[in-house]
Amino acid sequence: MSRREYLGIYIVKNPRTPIDRNINAEKLKQAEAIRAQREISLINEQYGFLDKAKQKMDFLAYFNDKLPHQDQKWEKIYKHFYKYVNGKCTFADITVELCEGFKNYLLNANHLNHEQKKLSQNSAAGYWSTFRGLLALALKEKYLTENINEHLDKIDTLDTRRQFLIAPEVQTLYNTPCKHLVLKAASLFSCLTGFRFSDILALKWENFTKNNMNL
């Protein structure tokens, strides 16, 4: 098997001066060093050796790169983890002990925007489950060499009583004056669709499509 990688390193095609020849030689050395590093990395992956280059990579940067493809919950988990590790964490730092500490952090943490309000256990359980999903992804992509999830337990969720409005109550809400029309419209929209407040805040015009069905 072979692997090709374009480094963006270019040499002078027909070097005529000593300077050009020296530049070419230096660039070839750099390219060869990168090739050797890639070869070592591939051998480490094939035989299960520890890849020191990946171990030194920034885990927070890896986490942050995943955020655009996920929902808002991932961003909140990232901010909590960033706070927990004081803004510094490599893949080598990802150990069972560190992750267990983050689990305990979530069980005792406050909301990011409401620092006086503690995270519910169900929220902590959801955040923890998603974080473990990130660890599984990092293992699949071979940034981690150990399945840390095997040593981590989940956070149990608590049964909660969900409250909802019945039709007469929604009608009462509709008839109740409110000086903030946008807030009232969002509340009614939530009642009719079942969307959470965070879901409504995340809505954009491109999320809506026209329906040509005749009703």
Side-chain angles (χ1 to χ4, degrees):
M1 295 181 63
S2 63
R3 176 181 294 184
R4 294 185 179 182
E5 179 179 351
Y6 296 95
L7 304 179
I9 299 176
Y10 302 97
I11 61 175
V12 179
K13 185 175 181 180
N14 297 308
R16 296 181 179 180
T17 65
I19 294 177
D20 288 341
R21 288 191 286 271
N22 289 336
I23 291 175
N24 280 359
E26 186 65 28
K27 288 183 176 180
L28 288 173
K29 287 181 181 179
Q30 293 173 353
E32 177 60 24
I34 295 172
R35 186 207 61 78
Q37 186 178 34
R38 297 293 190 271
E39 183 179 358
I40 292 173
S41 179
L42 288 172
I43 293 173
N44 286 337
E45 290 180 5
Q46 182 177 356
Y47 293 101
F49 296 130
L50 186 65
D51 189 340
K52 293 183 179 180
K54 285 187 175 180
Q55 289 290 297
K56 294 179 181 179
M57 291 178 63
D58 190 343
F59 178 78
L60 286 171
Y62 173 82
F63 196 163
N64 189 60
D65 287 341
K66 303 297 181 183
L67 299 185
H69 310 289
Q70 305 297 336
D71 57 28
Q72 288 185 330
K73 181 171 71 173
W74 279 64
E75 185 175 352
K76 293 179 181 178
I77 301 168
Y78 172 81
K79 290 180 178 178
H80 277 294
F81 187 75
Y82 187 96
K83 182 178 180 181
Y84 167 67
V85 297
N86 295 319
K88 186 177 181 180
C89 181
T90 65
F91 280 96
D93 297 324
I94 301 298
T95 62
V96 174
E97 292 74 19
L98 181 85
C99 295
E100 282 287 355
F102 184 52
K103 174 184 174 182
N104 293 328
Y105 163 89
L106 290 174
L107 288 169
N108 296 281
N110 293 334
H111 283 270
L112 294 169
N113 297 328
H114 304 282
E115 296 184 357
Q116 303 302 320
K117 185 178 180 181
K118 184 178 177 181
L119 278 177
S120 68
Q121 181 161 329
N122 287 356
S123 294
Y127 288 2
W128 177 240
S129 177
T130 301
F131 181 76
R132 293 182 66 194
L134 175 67
L135 295 179
L137 182 60
L139 178 67
K140 181 180 179 181
E141 296 179 349
K142 298 184 179 180
Y143 287 96
L144 294 175
T145 57
E146 178 187 5
N147 187 3
I148 296 178
N149 279 325
E150 290 183 347
H151 309 286
L152 302 175
D153 295 324
K154 68 176 184 178
I155 297 177
D156 293 327
T157 57
L158 302 176
D159 292 333
T160 57
R161 180 183 177 185
R162 294 186 177 274
Q163 298 183 354
F164 55 89
L165 300 179
I166 59 177
E169 292 172 331
V170 175
Q171 185 64 46
T172 301
L173 179 64
Y174 175 79
N175 295 331
T176 301
C178 178
K179 63 180 181 179
H180 301 291
L181 299 180
V182 173
L183 176 61
K184 182 176 181 178
S187 300
L188 293 170
F189 185 77
S190 176
C191 292
L192 296 174
T193 61
F195 278 20
R196 297 172 300 181
F197 179 69
S198 58
D199 296 328
I200 294 176
L201 288 179
L203 280 177
K204 298 180 180 179
W205 281 112
E206 53 263 32
N207 299 135
F208 294 88
T209 58
K210 290 185 178 181
N211 191 332
N212 296 321
M213 295 178 60
N214 293 323
L215 301 178

